[in-house]
Amino acid sequence: MKSRKESFIGLASENDLKIALHYVDAFKVLYESNKYQDQIVIPALFLIRQFLELGLKYNIRKLSSISGSSNLINDLSKTHDLCKIYGSFLDHYKNAKNNLGISGLKDGNLLKDLDSLVNLIIPFDNDSMGYRYSEDQNGNKLIDINSTHNLENVYKLLETTSCFISSTEDVFGLTS
């Protein structure tokens, strides 16, 4: 086993996109482990939820400079609502494409996979509570006892989705 004495946490947390991609790596480690699926499902899905939130917020901030939209910009750091964050990302993404006159971008399947992944997470944890707590503040169960989730579906969508989220700023020429 490699030494675990010292990690470059500063380098690992260079920006939100880098952190988001580390969540993807951690998900893959859990998914590919020999642990029983019921033991890892909640932590694994939490990692994907965090990846989506951080990755989408990062791209919203980057795209806002060319999208002309103020959708969620002032409240971005105050919300964990994945529906709102995803909707804002789509708004900024589509407006940025229009403003730059990018019409030939073959992103249909990428957007479809992102949409599928987001919609696998939202029903169980739209507001970043369902994968962290068993009950809400009123004592209501956050995830029904009979709920199931197929991690393989998440894993299959992850490759294209993480590539898409990590390359958006390159596609739009927003890298520094």
Side-chain angles (χ1 to χ4, degrees):
M1 178 183 266
K2 294 180 183 176
S3 175
R4 303 266 185 203
K5 292 181 181 178
E6 193 163 336
S7 297
F8 290 101
I9 192 168
L11 185 60
S13 64
E14 182 181 346
N15 61 49
D16 287 347
L17 180 60
K18 200 166 206 177
I19 295 171
L21 294 173
H22 291 314
Y23 281 120
V24 171
D25 292 338
F27 170 85
K28 289 177 181 178
V29 168
L30 270 178
Y31 179 82
E32 293 167 0
S33 75
N34 291 325
K35 288 288 189 183
Y36 182 57
Q37 184 163 314
D38 291 354
Q39 292 176 307
I40 66 165
V41 65
I42 294 294
L45 291 172
F46 177 77
L47 294 169
I48 296 307
R49 199 219 174 279
Q50 289 301 106
F51 153 70
L52 287 169
E53 181 174 341
L54 288 176
L56 292 172
K57 283 181 173 182
Y58 178 86
N59 278 289
I60 291 166
R61 286 183 182 100
K62 289 289 188 174
L63 291 171
S64 68
S65 66
I66 55 173
S67 71
S69 175
S70 61
N71 187 334
L72 205 58
I73 292 298
N74 294 330
D75 295 323
L76 200 55
S77 62
K78 299 175 192 170
T79 187
H80 300 285
D81 185 322
L82 200 52
C83 282
K84 284 183 183 177
I85 295 166
Y86 179 52
S88 177
F89 167 78
L90 290 175
D91 180 54
H92 287 278
Y93 182 80
K94 290 174 183 174
N95 284 332
K97 276 177 50 175
N98 287 337
N99 290 344
L100 293 178
I102 301 174
S103 59
L105 194 59
K106 296 186 187 296
D107 58 1
N109 286 335
L110 298 171
L111 286 166
K112 185 177 135 256
D113 285 355
L114 175 60
D115 187 69
S116 295
L117 184 58
V118 168
N119 284 304
L120 285 173
I121 300 299
I122 285 175
F124 299 100
D125 194 358
N126 181 54
D127 60 359
S128 193
M129 299 296 279
Y131 298 143
R132 294 191 302 150
Y133 303 102
S134 62
E135 298 176 345
D136 66 15
Q137 293 176 340
N138 298 319
N140 301 312
K141 289 292 287 174
L142 289 167
I143 299 176
D144 183 86
I145 194 81
N146 295 313
S147 294
T148 62
H149 213 294
N150 185 331
L151 285 179
E152 185 177 24
N153 290 337
V154 173
Y155 187 79
K156 287 178 180 178
L157 292 167
L158 201 52
E159 190 65 36
T160 55
T161 302
S162 61
C163 287
F164 178 55
I165 285 179
S166 65
S167 65
T168 302
E169 65 182 321
D170 291 333
V171 169
F172 289 100
L174 298 170
T175 53
S176 30

